[in-house]
Amino acid sequence: MRRSRHIFSAALVAAFLCGPSGTGANIIRRQLNYFQDALAPQGGFSFLSVGPYSNAMANFFVGSALYAIRGNMLAFPGYRFLEPSFFVQDDWRATRWLTLNLGVRYEILPPVVEVNNVYTNFDMSTLKIQTAGKDTTRALGVNTNYKNISPRFGFAATLGSGMVLRGGYGISYYPNDNIQNPNPPFAYSCIPCFGSVFPTLPLSSSSSITNPSGGVTVKPSDLSASRIHQFNLAFQKQVGNTVFTLGGVGQIGRNMIYVKDLDRPAPLGAGNPAPPYVYATQLPKITAISLYDNEGITNYYAMQASVTRRYAKGLMVNANWTWAHGLGNSSTDTALFTNNSMLQYGNTALDVRHRIAVTASYAVPVPANLRGPAAYALRGWQVNAIGYWQTSLPFTVVNNTPMMNVPGVTQDRPNQISDWQSSNPTLNQWFNTAAFAPQVKGTAGGEAPYQLRGPSQRSLNLSVVRDFALREKMRLQLRAESFNITNTANFTNPGSVLGENGFGMITATSTNTTPRQLQFALKLLF
C-alpha cells in the first residue's frame, strides 16, 4: 500500500495601502523613483552635459549644460490601493522518493486612486488634462485586470546514490500602475529644459490645465500588470563531504513597462529638416508626452554550477560559477533613443555574463597532545577567504551630437560598421574605435544597445580570526582583515561618447571597488 502525505494550506490576503493624507497616514514610496527629490520645496534637478568637465553639475555651473530636467510635486497627495489576493498550496509526498509542491495564486490589482482626487491624467483623444472624479474616474480611467492567475509547480526527486533532482515553475504578477502621475496642476515637470544656464533655472510652478507646459504623462486605460515566468532545474550529487550542483534558471518578463514619448516625431530621413513636435500646433508649450505601456519584455537565462565541501577536518569550501545572459527592451535609456520598442531590444544594462566566486574557511589544526603556553597561543585560529571574478557590466556607444535630428532627442546610437572587439585592448584604446561612425543625419543608428564590455572585475579578501575564552558565555575575539589584499586595480568602462576626447580610453578605476585596505579589531562577545 502506497503512503501519501499532504500538507494543504489556503489563505485570503488583502493589502490596503495608503499615502499621506490629512489624517497623517503612511507615506507611499513605491514607484517614486522619477520624482525622488520632488518633495523638496524647489524640486529635483538633473543635468546632461558634454563638457568641459566630466561632472554634469560642474558643467551646469559654468553655463555649458546641454539641458536640465526638473520636477516638483505641488500638492501633498494621499494615494490608496487595495490588493486582495487568494492562494491555495499543497505539498504532496507522492511517493517515497518524490515530493510535489502544487499551488495557484489569484490577485486583483486595482489601479491607484487619490483620497481627495488630487490626481490628473492626460487624455490623448482630447489632448486635455483630466481631473480624477470630475473629467474621468477616480482611477484616471485605468481599468482593473481580473485575469492575474498564477500557477506554481515544484518537485524534488531523490534518485538514490546521493543524487537529487529539483525543479519548479511559477508565474507572478507585479502592478504597473505608476502612483506618481506628474501632471498639472498638482505637479510640475520639464523634460527636457533647454537653455537652462546657471543661475537661470526652470521655475517649478503649476502650468495651465488648458494650455499645459513642460512634460505630461499618460496612463492608458488598458495598463496591465507585468507577468513574470520563473523556472529552474537543478541536479545535485553528494560524494563524501562534497556536494556538486549543476542547474539552470530562467526568467521571462512580459507586459513590462516601456516608456514612449508620444510628442516625439520619427526621423524624416537624410536631407530633410528637423520635424516639429507631433503636437506642436495644438500644444505649443509641451516638450514631452510620456506614455507608460506594456511593450516591455525581458529574458534571462543562466547556468549555475557549484561545489560545496561541508565543514570537515577544519576546512569548508564553496565555489560557484554562473553563466548568464539578460535580454530585453526595458532598459533605462529607452526614452533616449526610439519609440520603437523592438529597436531597443538587446543586452540589458545588468547583463553580467560570467561570475566566479569562491569562499573558504580553515581552522588551523593544532596537535592534540600539545600542552602549555604553545597550545594556548596556537589553538583557535581560523583563516577565511572570499574571492570573485566577473565580467563587467555592458555599455553603449553614443554620438556626442545626436544625428536623428528629432526634437527632444539629446543622445542616440551611431552605426556599427565592424567588430568592436580589439585583439590587443589597452587602457588607451580598449575597443576598436573605428568600428563606429555617425549615421546619416535624419536617420536612426544601427548599433544594438549594451553590447560592449569593459575590463573584468576581481578581488580577494582575507581574514584571520582568533577567539579567547574568558568565561562560559564570554569570549574575546581578535580579527585581522584585508580587503583586496592583492591591491588589484579594477577599472571602469572606457569612454563611450563618439567624437569626444577619451573615446575608447579608460581613465579611472571603478567606483564600487577599493585599493588594499587593512583593519584590525578586538571584540568582546557575550
Side-chain angles (χ1 to χ4, degrees), residues 458-498:
R458 64 274 194 209
S459 182
L460 176 63
N461 306 325
L462 292 179
S463 68
V464 179
V465 181
R466 166 69 194 272
D467 286 346
F468 298 89
L470 301 179
R471 293 184 179 179
E472 181 180 356
K473 295 184 179 181
M474 182 181 295
R475 69 184 189 274
L476 191 66
Q477 187 179 83
L478 174 66
R479 301 182 64 90
E481 297 169 305
S482 174
F483 303 94
N484 192 8
I485 191 172
T486 58
N487 202 28
T488 300
N490 288 302
F491 294 100
T492 188
N493 284 335
S496 58
V497 181
L498 179 62

mmCIF file of all heavy atoms in Angstrom, residues 458-498:
data_model
loop_
_atom_site.group_PDB
_atom_site.id
_atom_site.type_symbol
_atom_site.label_atom_id
_atom_site.label_comp_id
_atom_site.label_asym_id
_atom_site.label_seq_id
_atom_site.Cartn_x
_atom_site.Cartn_y
_atom_site.Cartn_z
ATOM 1 N N ARG A 458 37.748 41.835 -10.316
ATOM 2 C CA ARG A 458 38.156 40.730 -9.441
ATOM 3 C C ARG A 458 38.700 41.320 -8.141
ATOM 4 O O ARG A 458 39.186 42.444 -8.100
ATOM 5 C CB ARG A 458 39.193 39.820 -10.082
ATOM 6 C CG ARG A 458 40.534 40.462 -10.393
ATOM 7 C CD ARG A 458 40.542 41.129 -11.721
ATOM 8 N NE ARG A 458 41.873 41.457 -12.184
ATOM 9 C CZ ARG A 458 42.128 42.479 -12.989
ATOM 10 N NH1 ARG A 458 41.158 43.280 -13.395
ATOM 11 N NH2 ARG A 458 43.362 42.715 -13.403
ATOM 12 N N SER A 459 38.619 40.485 -7.102
ATOM 13 C CA SER A 459 39.107 40.922 -5.791
ATOM 14 C C SER A 459 39.257 39.700 -4.897
ATOM 15 O O SER A 459 38.553 38.691 -5.061
ATOM 16 C CB SER A 459 38.146 41.934 -5.153
ATOM 17 O OG SER A 459 38.640 42.385 -3.918
ATOM 18 N N LEU A 460 40.179 39.810 -3.917
ATOM 19 C CA LEU A 460 40.409 38.738 -2.947
ATOM 20 C C LEU A 460 40.492 39.365 -1.564
ATOM 21 O O LEU A 460 41.286 40.277 -1.331
ATOM 22 C CB LEU A 460 41.709 37.987 -3.255
ATOM 23 C CG LEU A 460 42.110 36.903 -2.246
ATOM 24 C CD1 LEU A 460 41.070 35.784 -2.201
ATOM 25 C CD2 LEU A 460 43.494 36.342 -2.578
ATOM 26 N N ASN A 461 39.655 38.877 -0.660
ATOM 27 C CA ASN A 461 39.624 39.352 0.716
ATOM 28 C C ASN A 461 40.024 38.219 1.655
ATOM 29 O O ASN A 461 39.575 37.075 1.482
ATOM 30 C CB ASN A 461 38.230 39.854 1.091
ATOM 31 C CG ASN A 461 37.711 40.902 0.127
ATOM 32 O OD1 ASN A 461 38.475 41.703 -0.395
ATOM 33 N ND2 ASN A 461 36.409 40.897 -0.116
ATOM 34 N N LEU A 462 40.858 38.517 2.646
ATOM 35 C CA LEU A 462 41.325 37.533 3.616
ATOM 36 C C LEU A 462 41.084 38.046 5.029
ATOM 37 O O LEU A 462 41.109 39.258 5.283
ATOM 38 C CB LEU A 462 42.817 37.244 3.442
ATOM 39 C CG LEU A 462 43.269 36.526 2.172
ATOM 40 C CD1 LEU A 462 44.782 36.368 2.177
ATOM 41 C CD2 LEU A 462 42.595 35.168 2.052
ATOM 42 N N SER A 463 40.880 37.127 5.945
ATOM 43 C CA SER A 463 40.756 37.478 7.359
ATOM 44 C C SER A 463 41.332 36.360 8.216
ATOM 45 O O SER A 463 41.281 35.180 7.838
ATOM 46 C CB SER A 463 39.296 37.739 7.741
ATOM 47 O OG SER A 463 38.533 36.550 7.674
ATOM 48 N N VAL A 464 41.874 36.745 9.366
ATOM 49 C CA VAL A 464 42.376 35.806 10.371
ATOM 50 C C VAL A 464 41.672 36.137 11.679
ATOM 51 O O VAL A 464 41.673 37.295 12.120
ATOM 52 C CB VAL A 464 43.902 35.911 10.533
ATOM 53 C CG1 VAL A 464 44.393 34.934 11.600
ATOM 54 C CG2 VAL A 464 44.601 35.627 9.204
ATOM 55 N N VAL A 465 41.078 35.111 12.291
ATOM 56 C CA VAL A 465 40.255 35.321 13.487
ATOM 57 C C VAL A 465 40.711 34.370 14.577
ATOM 58 O O VAL A 465 41.024 33.203 14.319
ATOM 59 C CB VAL A 465 38.755 35.093 13.170
ATOM 60 C CG1 VAL A 465 37.900 35.325 14.401
ATOM 61 C CG2 VAL A 465 38.304 35.993 12.028
ATOM 62 N N ARG A 466 40.751 34.887 15.810
ATOM 63 C CA ARG A 466 41.101 34.040 16.960
ATOM 64 C C ARG A 466 40.184 34.391 18.127
ATOM 65 O O ARG A 466 40.008 35.561 18.468
ATOM 66 C CB ARG A 466 42.549 34.267 17.388
ATOM 67 C CG ARG A 466 42.925 33.706 18.772
ATOM 68 C CD ARG A 466 42.941 32.186 18.790
ATOM 69 N NE ARG A 466 42.960 31.669 20.151
ATOM 70 C CZ ARG A 466 44.074 31.448 20.876
ATOM 71 N NH1 ARG A 466 45.257 31.725 20.372
ATOM 72 N NH2 ARG A 466 43.990 30.928 22.092
ATOM 73 N N ASP A 467 39.554 33.379 18.720
ATOM 74 C CA ASP A 467 38.709 33.548 19.897
ATOM 75 C C ASP A 467 39.466 33.133 21.146
ATOM 76 O O ASP A 467 40.105 32.062 21.174
ATOM 77 C CB ASP A 467 37.423 32.714 19.768
ATOM 78 C CG ASP A 467 36.438 33.334 18.780
ATOM 79 O OD1 ASP A 467 36.643 34.513 18.412
ATOM 80 O OD2 ASP A 467 35.476 32.650 18.384
ATOM 81 N N PHE A 468 39.377 33.960 22.200
ATOM 82 C CA PHE A 468 39.953 33.654 23.501
ATOM 83 C C PHE A 468 38.807 33.492 24.493
ATOM 84 O O PHE A 468 38.037 34.439 24.729
ATOM 85 C CB PHE A 468 40.888 34.777 23.970
ATOM 86 C CG PHE A 468 42.076 34.998 23.071
ATOM 87 C CD1 PHE A 468 42.000 35.870 21.993
ATOM 88 C CD2 PHE A 468 43.269 34.316 23.302
ATOM 89 C CE1 PHE A 468 43.084 36.071 21.171
ATOM 90 C CE2 PHE A 468 44.360 34.517 22.478
ATOM 91 C CZ PHE A 468 44.273 35.392 21.406
ATOM 92 N N ALA A 469 38.665 32.295 25.043
ATOM 93 C CA ALA A 469 37.594 32.037 26.004
ATOM 94 C C ALA A 469 37.917 32.730 27.324
ATOM 95 O O ALA A 469 38.993 32.541 27.894
ATOM 96 C CB ALA A 469 37.420 30.540 26.204
ATOM 97 N N LEU A 470 36.940 33.512 27.808
ATOM 98 C CA LEU A 470 37.092 34.193 29.095
ATOM 99 C C LEU A 470 36.234 33.541 30.156
ATOM 100 O O LEU A 470 36.703 33.228 31.258
ATOM 101 C CB LEU A 470 36.724 35.674 28.957
ATOM 102 C CG LEU A 470 37.551 36.488 27.938
ATOM 103 C CD1 LEU A 470 37.060 37.921 27.896
ATOM 104 C CD2 LEU A 470 39.037 36.431 28.284
ATOM 105 N N ARG A 471 34.978 33.338 29.847
ATOM 106 C CA ARG A 471 34.029 32.649 30.724
ATOM 107 C C ARG A 471 33.198 31.712 29.859
ATOM 108 O O ARG A 471 33.404 31.598 28.646
ATOM 109 C CB ARG A 471 33.134 33.646 31.445
ATOM 110 C CG ARG A 471 33.853 34.538 32.446
ATOM 111 C CD ARG A 471 32.849 35.414 33.157
ATOM 112 N NE ARG A 471 33.478 36.271 34.151
ATOM 113 C CZ ARG A 471 32.829 37.145 34.900
ATOM 114 N NH1 ARG A 471 31.507 37.274 34.776
ATOM 115 N NH2 ARG A 471 33.467 37.895 35.775
ATOM 116 N N GLU A 472 32.208 31.099 30.493
ATOM 117 C CA GLU A 472 31.378 30.141 29.780
ATOM 118 C C GLU A 472 30.637 30.801 28.625
ATOM 119 O O GLU A 472 30.515 30.226 27.535
ATOM 120 C CB GLU A 472 30.375 29.494 30.732
ATOM 121 C CG GLU A 472 29.485 28.445 30.046
ATOM 122 C CD GLU A 472 28.503 27.825 31.012
ATOM 123 O OE1 GLU A 472 28.553 28.149 32.217
ATOM 124 O OE2 GLU A 472 27.678 27.012 30.571
ATOM 125 N N LYS A 473 30.133 32.044 28.828
ATOM 126 C CA LYS A 473 29.364 32.739 27.799
ATOM 127 C C LYS A 473 30.036 34.041 27.375
ATOM 128 O O LYS A 473 29.376 34.965 26.925
ATOM 129 C CB LYS A 473 27.954 33.022 28.311
ATOM 130 C CG LYS A 473 27.136 31.771 28.573
ATOM 131 C CD LYS A 473 25.730 32.112 28.995
ATOM 132 C CE LYS A 473 24.895 30.857 29.240
ATOM 133 N NZ LYS A 473 23.503 31.191 29.641
ATOM 134 N N MET A 474 31.328 34.118 27.515
ATOM 135 C CA MET A 474 32.031 35.342 27.152
ATOM 136 C C MET A 474 33.355 34.971 26.501
ATOM 137 O O MET A 474 34.065 34.087 26.978
ATOM 138 C CB MET A 474 32.272 36.213 28.388
ATOM 139 C CG MET A 474 32.973 37.538 28.088
ATOM 140 S SD MET A 474 33.258 38.502 29.603
ATOM 141 C CE MET A 474 31.575 38.847 30.093
ATOM 142 N N ARG A 475 33.656 35.674 25.399
ATOM 143 C CA ARG A 475 34.939 35.427 24.739
ATOM 144 C C ARG A 475 35.440 36.717 24.105
ATOM 145 O O ARG A 475 34.655 37.627 23.779
ATOM 146 C CB ARG A 475 34.831 34.320 23.698
ATOM 147 C CG ARG A 475 34.016 34.643 22.474
ATOM 148 C CD ARG A 475 33.899 33.419 21.564
ATOM 149 N NE ARG A 475 33.303 33.717 20.295
ATOM 150 C CZ ARG A 475 31.999 33.739 20.044
ATOM 151 N NH1 ARG A 475 31.142 33.458 21.026
ATOM 152 N NH2 ARG A 475 31.553 34.028 18.832
ATOM 153 N N LEU A 476 36.730 36.775 23.930
ATOM 154 C CA LEU A 476 37.382 37.907 23.294
ATOM 155 C C LEU A 476 37.838 37.469 21.906
ATOM 156 O O LEU A 476 38.493 36.428 21.766
ATOM 157 C CB LEU A 476 38.576 38.370 24.126
ATOM 158 C CG LEU A 476 39.203 39.710 23.737
ATOM 159 C CD1 LEU A 476 38.223 40.845 23.999
ATOM 160 C CD2 LEU A 476 40.497 39.928 24.519
ATOM 161 N N GLN A 477 37.483 38.256 20.895
ATOM 162 C CA GLN A 477 37.798 37.888 19.514
ATOM 163 C C GLN A 477 38.768 38.891 18.905
ATOM 164 O O GLN A 477 38.518 40.096 18.910
ATOM 165 C CB GLN A 477 36.532 37.836 18.659
ATOM 166 C CG GLN A 477 36.772 37.307 17.256
ATOM 167 C CD GLN A 477 35.501 37.236 16.435
ATOM 168 O OE1 GLN A 477 35.094 38.242 15.862
ATOM 169 N NE2 GLN A 477 34.865 36.051 16.390
ATOM 170 N N LEU A 478 39.835 38.393 18.356
ATOM 171 C CA LEU A 478 40.825 39.189 17.653
ATOM 172 C C LEU A 478 40.651 38.948 16.153
ATOM 173 O O LEU A 478 40.628 37.811 15.700
ATOM 174 C CB LEU A 478 42.239 38.805 18.084
ATOM 175 C CG LEU A 478 43.394 39.471 17.316
ATOM 176 C CD1 LEU A 478 43.415 40.967 17.572
ATOM 177 C CD2 LEU A 478 44.730 38.843 17.709
ATOM 178 N N ARG A 479 40.529 40.054 15.379
ATOM 179 C CA ARG A 479 40.298 39.946 13.941
ATOM 180 C C ARG A 479 41.318 40.798 13.198
ATOM 181 O O ARG A 479 41.553 41.964 13.540
ATOM 182 C CB ARG A 479 38.890 40.426 13.563
ATOM 183 C CG ARG A 479 37.768 39.682 14.244
ATOM 184 C CD ARG A 479 36.424 40.200 13.757
ATOM 185 N NE ARG A 479 36.234 39.947 12.348
ATOM 186 C CZ ARG A 479 35.670 38.855 11.855
ATOM 187 N NH1 ARG A 479 35.251 37.905 12.686
ATOM 188 N NH2 ARG A 479 35.523 38.695 10.561
ATOM 189 N N ALA A 480 41.913 40.208 12.172
ATOM 190 C CA ALA A 480 42.766 40.937 11.235
ATOM 191 C C ALA A 480 42.221 40.680 9.840
ATOM 192 O O ALA A 480 42.136 39.525 9.402
ATOM 193 C CB ALA A 480 44.211 40.470 11.340
ATOM 194 N N GLU A 481 41.829 41.743 9.139
ATOM 195 C CA GLU A 481 41.137 41.597 7.863
ATOM 196 C C GLU A 481 41.803 42.448 6.796
ATOM 197 O O GLU A 481 42.286 43.556 7.062
ATOM 198 C CB GLU A 481 39.670 42.009 8.015
ATOM 199 C CG GLU A 481 38.903 41.127 8.997
ATOM 200 C CD GLU A 481 37.545 41.701 9.345
ATOM 201 O OE1 GLU A 481 37.490 42.863 9.784
ATOM 202 O OE2 GLU A 481 36.540 40.979 9.186
ATOM 203 N N SER A 482 41.786 41.911 5.580
ATOM 204 C CA SER A 482 42.332 42.635 4.434
ATOM 205 C C SER A 482 41.349 42.549 3.281
ATOM 206 O O SER A 482 40.914 41.450 2.896
ATOM 207 C CB SER A 482 43.677 42.047 4.011
ATOM 208 O OG SER A 482 44.120 42.666 2.818
ATOM 209 N N PHE A 483 40.981 43.716 2.733
ATOM 210 C CA PHE A 483 40.118 43.791 1.564
ATOM 211 C C PHE A 483 40.967 44.126 0.348
ATOM 212 O O PHE A 483 41.787 45.034 0.378
ATOM 213 C CB PHE A 483 39.033 44.849 1.769
ATOM 214 C CG PHE A 483 38.189 44.613 2.992
ATOM 215 C CD1 PHE A 483 38.504 45.221 4.198
ATOM 216 C CD2 PHE A 483 37.100 43.767 2.941
ATOM 217 C CE1 PHE A 483 37.746 45.009 5.329
ATOM 218 C CE2 PHE A 483 36.329 43.535 4.069
ATOM 219 C CZ PHE A 483 36.650 44.153 5.270
ATOM 220 N N ASN A 484 40.774 43.351 -0.735
ATOM 221 C CA ASN A 484 41.590 43.481 -1.933
ATOM 222 C C ASN A 484 43.072 43.356 -1.552
ATOM 223 O O ASN A 484 43.879 44.255 -1.817
ATOM 224 C CB ASN A 484 41.324 44.815 -2.634
ATOM 225 C CG ASN A 484 41.934 44.874 -4.028
ATOM 226 O OD1 ASN A 484 42.443 43.877 -4.556
ATOM 227 N ND2 ASN A 484 41.916 46.055 -4.625
ATOM 228 N N ILE A 485 43.405 42.230 -0.969
ATOM 229 C CA ILE A 485 44.756 42.044 -0.433
ATOM 230 C C ILE A 485 45.824 42.108 -1.519
ATOM 231 O O ILE A 485 46.964 42.494 -1.265
ATOM 232 C CB ILE A 485 44.848 40.707 0.345
ATOM 233 C CG1 ILE A 485 46.159 40.644 1.127
ATOM 234 C CG2 ILE A 485 44.687 39.521 -0.583
ATOM 235 C CD1 ILE A 485 46.231 39.462 2.058
ATOM 236 N N THR A 486 45.481 41.775 -2.749
ATOM 237 C CA THR A 486 46.458 41.833 -3.837
ATOM 238 C C THR A 486 46.588 43.234 -4.424
ATOM 239 O O THR A 486 47.405 43.452 -5.321
ATOM 240 C CB THR A 486 46.051 40.858 -4.951
ATOM 241 O OG1 THR A 486 44.739 41.210 -5.420
ATOM 242 C CG2 THR A 486 46.032 39.426 -4.455
ATOM 243 N N ASN A 487 45.792 44.168 -3.916
ATOM 244 C CA ASN A 487 45.803 45.561 -4.392
ATOM 245 C C ASN A 487 45.603 45.619 -5.911
ATOM 246 O O ASN A 487 46.265 46.369 -6.633
ATOM 247 C CB ASN A 487 47.110 46.258 -4.012
ATOM 248 C CG ASN A 487 46.962 47.774 -3.989
ATOM 249 O OD1 ASN A 487 45.866 48.295 -3.751
ATOM 250 N ND2 ASN A 487 48.050 48.473 -4.231
ATOM 251 N N THR A 488 44.652 44.826 -6.385
ATOM 252 C CA THR A 488 44.362 44.750 -7.818
ATOM 253 C C THR A 488 43.480 45.927 -8.231
ATOM 254 O O THR A 488 42.461 46.194 -7.597
ATOM 255 C CB THR A 488 43.648 43.432 -8.142
ATOM 256 O OG1 THR A 488 44.495 42.344 -7.772
ATOM 257 C CG2 THR A 488 43.332 43.344 -9.630
ATOM 258 N N ALA A 489 43.860 46.609 -9.271
ATOM 259 C CA ALA A 489 43.075 47.734 -9.772
ATOM 260 C C ALA A 489 41.928 47.219 -10.643
ATOM 261 O O ALA A 489 42.142 46.442 -11.576
ATOM 262 C CB ALA A 489 43.954 48.680 -10.570
ATOM 263 N N ASN A 490 40.714 47.643 -10.342
ATOM 264 C CA ASN A 490 39.545 47.342 -11.159
ATOM 265 C C ASN A 490 39.130 48.630 -11.867
ATOM 266 O O ASN A 490 38.784 49.624 -11.211
ATOM 267 C CB ASN A 490 38.402 46.813 -10.296
ATOM 268 C CG ASN A 490 38.666 45.413 -9.796
ATOM 269 O OD1 ASN A 490 38.874 44.499 -10.584
ATOM 270 N ND2 ASN A 490 38.674 45.239 -8.483
ATOM 271 N N PHE A 491 39.147 48.602 -13.177
ATOM 272 C CA PHE A 491 38.927 49.816 -13.951
ATOM 273 C C PHE A 491 37.476 49.940 -14.383
ATOM 274 O O PHE A 491 36.761 48.953 -14.566
ATOM 275 C CB PHE A 491 39.835 49.830 -15.178
ATOM 276 C CG PHE A 491 41.296 49.925 -14.841
ATOM 277 C CD1 PHE A 491 42.096 48.791 -14.855
ATOM 278 C CD2 PHE A 491 41.861 51.142 -14.502
ATOM 279 C CE1 PHE A 491 43.438 48.874 -14.540
ATOM 280 C CE2 PHE A 491 43.199 51.233 -14.182
ATOM 281 C CZ PHE A 491 43.995 50.092 -14.198
ATOM 282 N N THR A 492 37.059 51.176 -14.553
ATOM 283 C CA THR A 492 35.715 51.455 -15.041
ATOM 284 C C THR A 492 35.648 51.224 -16.549
ATOM 285 O O THR A 492 36.676 50.987 -17.205
ATOM 286 C CB THR A 492 35.328 52.905 -14.716
ATOM 287 O OG1 THR A 492 33.940 53.107 -15.032
ATOM 288 C CG2 THR A 492 36.159 53.884 -15.520
ATOM 289 N N ASN A 493 34.456 51.291 -17.106
ATOM 290 C CA ASN A 493 34.311 51.137 -18.547
ATOM 291 C C ASN A 493 34.948 52.326 -19.271
ATOM 292 O O ASN A 493 35.041 53.431 -18.723
ATOM 293 C CB ASN A 493 32.834 51.039 -18.924
ATOM 294 C CG ASN A 493 32.248 49.684 -18.613
ATOM 295 O OD1 ASN A 493 32.967 48.688 -18.544
ATOM 296 N ND2 ASN A 493 30.933 49.619 -18.419
ATOM 297 N N PRO A 494 35.379 52.128 -20.506
ATOM 298 C CA PRO A 494 36.043 53.213 -21.250
ATOM 299 C C PRO A 494 35.054 54.289 -21.678
ATOM 300 O O PRO A 494 33.838 54.118 -21.628
ATOM 301 C CB PRO A 494 36.641 52.484 -22.454
ATOM 302 C CG PRO A 494 35.770 51.293 -22.641
ATOM 303 C CD PRO A 494 35.340 50.874 -21.272
ATOM 304 N N GLY A 495 35.622 55.421 -22.130
ATOM 305 C CA GLY A 495 34.790 56.484 -22.681
ATOM 306 C C GLY A 495 33.986 55.989 -23.861
ATOM 307 O O GLY A 495 34.509 55.324 -24.759
ATOM 308 N N SER A 496 32.694 56.321 -23.880
ATOM 309 C CA SER A 496 31.801 55.734 -24.882
ATOM 310 C C SER A 496 31.090 56.772 -25.740
ATOM 311 O O SER A 496 30.122 56.435 -26.421
ATOM 312 C CB SER A 496 30.755 54.857 -24.182
ATOM 313 O OG SER A 496 30.011 55.623 -23.238
ATOM 314 N N VAL A 497 31.551 58.028 -25.703
ATOM 315 C CA VAL A 497 30.905 59.083 -26.490
ATOM 316 C C VAL A 497 31.716 59.320 -27.763
ATOM 317 O O VAL A 497 32.830 59.831 -27.716
ATOM 318 C CB VAL A 497 30.768 60.380 -25.678
ATOM 319 C CG1 VAL A 497 30.065 61.449 -26.501
ATOM 320 C CG2 VAL A 497 29.997 60.121 -24.387
ATOM 321 N N LEU A 498 31.151 58.930 -28.881
ATOM 322 C CA LEU A 498 31.826 59.052 -30.170
ATOM 323 C C LEU A 498 32.025 60.523 -30.513
ATOM 324 O O LEU A 498 31.094 61.325 -30.481
ATOM 325 C CB LEU A 498 30.989 58.369 -31.254
ATOM 326 C CG LEU A 498 31.519 58.421 -32.688
ATOM 327 C CD1 LEU A 498 32.859 57.712 -32.790
ATOM 328 C CD2 LEU A 498 30.504 57.807 -33.650
#
